[in-house]
Amino acid sequence: AHRYPAFCEMRSFYVAPERKGQGIGRALYRRVLNFAGVLPIQVDVVEHMQATIEMYERWGFTLDESRGQVTYPWEEWPESSRLAYKGVYMVKPGSGEKR
């Protein structure tokens, strides 16, 4: 995660399939909440990752359509993946009180 003056950006995190269901994702997310404090949290998600979007929605995130789609840096993606993926922004409002 990275903290800016007005929000905290959560970088996507992953849990190995064989480790899912053990509370690892929730523990990582709690660390992000503590890091963000009262700030809103934003994350971008590849739009076809519906299960990931639903997980973030359960955690209180909503799609932020006001920012449009995410444009991923071309040079960081293999040639075969360029133009194949688009992302969406999701945001969780800040708590307004210190944790």
Side-chain angles (χ1 to χ4, degrees), residues 37-52:
V38 300
L39 294 175
I41 303 170
Q42 85 171 26
V43 63
D44 63 80
V45 183
V46 176
E47 67 182 352
H48 74 270
M49 297 178 72
Q50 192 59 41
T52 302

Side-chain angles (χ1 to χ4, degrees), residues 4-59:
Y4 297 95
F7 66 94
C8 180
E9 179 183 25
M10 181 171 60
R11 304 293 170 128
S12 297
F13 61 86
Y14 303 91
V15 176
E18 66 274 9
R19 300 290 188 175
K20 288 185 178 184
Q22 298 177 16
I24 296 168
R26 284 186 298 279
L28 290 170
Y29 180 58
R30 280 192 299 276
R31 292 188 73 178
V32 171
L33 287 174
N34 288 333
F35 180 76
V38 300
L39 294 175
I41 303 170
Q42 85 171 26
V43 63
D44 63 80
V45 183
V46 176
E47 67 182 352
H48 74 270
M49 297 178 72
Q50 192 59 41
T52 302
I53 290 171
E54 290 171 2
M55 176 192 70
Y56 286 130
E57 287 174 337
R58 284 191 304 275
W59 289 350

